[in-house]
Amino acid sequence: MSKKPVRVAVTGAAGQIGYALLFRIASGEMLGKDQPVILQLLEIPDEKAQNALKGVIMELEDCAFPLLAGIEAHSDPLQAFKDTDYALLVGARPRGPGMERADLLAANAQIFTAQGKALNAVASRNVKVLVVGNPANTNAYIAMKSAPDLPAKNFTAMLRLDHNRAASQLAAKTGTKVGDIKKLTVWGNHSPTMYADYRFATTNGQSIKALINDQVWNAETFLPTVGKRGAAIIAARGLSSAASAANAAIDHMRDWALGSNGEWVTMGVPSNGEYGIPAGIVFGFPVTTENGEYKIVEGLEIDAFSQECINKTLAELQGEQDGVKHLL
Ligand SMILES: NC(=O)C1=CN([C@@H]2O[C@H](COP(=O)(O)OP(=O)(O)OC[C@H]3O[C@@H](n4cnc5c(N)ncnc54)[C@H](O)[C@@H]3O)[C@@H](O)[C@H]2O)C=CC1
Ligand SMILES: O=C([O-])CC(=O)C(=O)O
């Protein structure tokens, strides 16, 4: 018997990430080739954005995806999030000329407060939320705080692009295949302060740290390359990462929904105090996933260098959280 369709809400659906994301969700790459989906798409109530969304919907129709059981276009989050099982919050206010970080935080705080409240009011009580729009960790924190009737653990932020970027750099450095890399993680904020940590990672069962054996490369080449990769893409393309961001969103949601088969993946999730990260902070952690739930990998040793990196990214997140405190 065929499965009942699930509802997938995507915000910023007419944007660049949306264009790289929707077709893959509709073809079954996120939730499985046997799972029908209804897409509930949200864009701002602006003629140009709504027209662009119509065009994307026409293209989705023209793909004749057998798993696509319905498509809706909305400009109101209370409609877009109705009964939704999955919510990918991609749309966010980009930084404009002369805008300071605090202005960006305030503009996005408004968006994610409203969307958190709407999820709280109308989404499935088990909705799984992924925040992609930047600043992703803090936006996820705002949405979570604005949705007190939903489980906090259902609000997550996207660190998977950083994880995938790190895996790719390590595969190149060790001359091995990216698919052979296990037990990699990225701690902290989705920003240049994130700490990509390969101390536990293996490739074909061999320790990557032992293979590379070069802390100067780690500190002076690897970490800045992964941390500044978003800026490098913008410099090269004139636009920020879109296909790779959409790919990471698919990876994040697929693993959360369908399981990681015991492998570590990185998710930004609210801390329960693990590794000394204050409860509630949405932080990149190593997790394993099973039966639609994630579990933080605990008990890893944190050495002095790693602690310093974790403290730095935590301090940045706490600064962001302080910057929006008065709005929550
Ligand atoms: N977490 C991560 O790893 C990454 C995050 N990003 C972030 O993802 C976000 C989206 O990126 P792009 O698709 O390239 O941007 P984009 O500007 O091409 O598209 C964003 C879309 O969101 C819409 N939007 C804005 N506010 C909205 C709201 N309140 N409700 C619904 N829709 C809204 C806009 O109309 C626009 O169509 C940006 O914040 C970007 O910085 C990008 C790459 C990686
Ligand atoms: O850097 C940006 O603006 C987009 C982003 O988050 C990334 O590519 O990691």
Side-chain angles (χ1 to χ4, degrees):
M1 206 175 79
S2 61
K3 286 186 173 174
K4 185 171 167 267
V6 293
R7 296 180 176 274
V8 181
V10 180
T11 75
Q16 338 175 56
I17 295 176
Y19 196 69
L21 179 64
L22 298 174
F23 299 86
R24 296 185 61 188
I25 298 174
S27 71
E29 286 183 58
M30 186 169 90
L31 297 173
K33 296 282 181 189
D34 60 347
Q35 178 58 66
V37 294
I38 297 168
L39 290 174
Q40 305 188 165
L41 308 178
L42 182 69
E43 259 297 343
I44 50 173
D46 161 271
E47 199 184 334
K48 200 163 160 230
Q50 288 294 326
N51 268 335
L53 182 56
K54 276 193 196 121
V56 174
I57 290 177
M58 285 157 69
E59 285 204 67
L60 280 162
E61 289 166 353
D62 294 351
C63 292
F65 290 119
L67 290 172
L68 188 52
I71 319 177
E72 303 170 8
H74 296 289
S75 58
D76 177 354
L78 283 167
Q79 290 172 7
F81 296 155
K82 181 98 184 80
D83 296 327
T84 197
D85 302 291
Y86 299 88
L88 290 89
L89 309 187
V90 178
R93 174 82 188 273
R95 200 202 294 242
M99 238 177 136
E100 296 301 331
R101 198 177 176 80
D103 302 327
L104 184 72
L105 275 170
N108 281 303
Q110 273 188 349
I111 294 175
F112 287 86
T113 307
Q115 294 189 354
K117 285 184 178 159
L119 286 164
N120 194 55
V122 300
S124 155
R125 300 300 84 183
N126 299 315
V127 63
K128 287 179 162 53
V129 182
L130 167 63
V131 176
V132 174
N134 280 320
N137 298 52
T138 296
N139 288 340
Y141 173 80
I142 294 166
M144 175 184 86
K145 287 288 176 197
S146 307
D149 302 329
L150 295 171
K153 68 176 170 61
N154 290 18
F155 287 81
T156 68
M158 193 163 93
L159 271 290
R160 187 61 176 263
L161 181 54
D162 309 272
H163 179 113
N164 289 347
R165 286 167 172 166
S168 191
Q169 295 296 322
L170 292 170
K173 178 73 176 171
T174 56
T176 59
K177 293 202 288 290
V178 81
D180 293 331
I181 294 180
K182 317 276 183 207
K183 293 194 169 176
L184 171 66
T185 197
V186 181
W187 305 89
N189 199 7
H190 170 67
S191 87
T193 67
M194 57 89 237
Y195 172 45
D197 182 0
Y198 61 77
R199 291 174 305 135
F200 310 102
T202 60
T203 182
N204 290 317
Q206 282 185 285
S207 160
I208 290 184
K209 183 167 181 246
L211 277 174
I212 295 175
N213 191 26
D214 187 348
Q215 175 57 14
V216 174
W217 180 81
N218 181 27
E220 293 180 11
T221 302
F222 174 69
L223 289 173
T225 301
V226 178
K228 293 183 195 156
R229 187 70 163 184
I233 306 280
I234 293 172
R237 235 169 63 84
L239 289 167
S240 62
S241 316
S244 56
N247 180 66
I250 296 270
D251 285 349
H252 177 117
M253 280 307 212
R254 183 200 57 228
D255 288 344
W256 191 2
L258 304 179
S260 67
N261 300 316
E263 304 299 343
W264 294 14
V265 291
T266 301
M267 290 172 69
V269 303
S271 171
N272 306 296
E274 292 87 350
Y275 297 99
I277 306 305
I281 297 254
V282 177
F283 203 80
F285 283 111
V287 303
T288 55
T289 57
E290 196 177 357
N291 299 326
E293 301 288 341
Y294 61 80
K295 205 161 103 204
I296 294 175
V297 177
E298 294 199 67
L300 300 173
E301 192 203 322
I302 305 297
D303 62 16
F305 176 79
S306 303
Q307 192 63 58
E308 203 181 301
C309 295
I310 287 174
N311 290 349
K312 190 167 141 207
T313 194
L314 173 61
E316 183 184 53
L317 270 173
Q318 286 177 310
E320 290 183 14
Q321 201 173 300
D322 281 349
V324 296
K325 217 168 39 198
H326 61 292
L327 301 165
L328 296 178

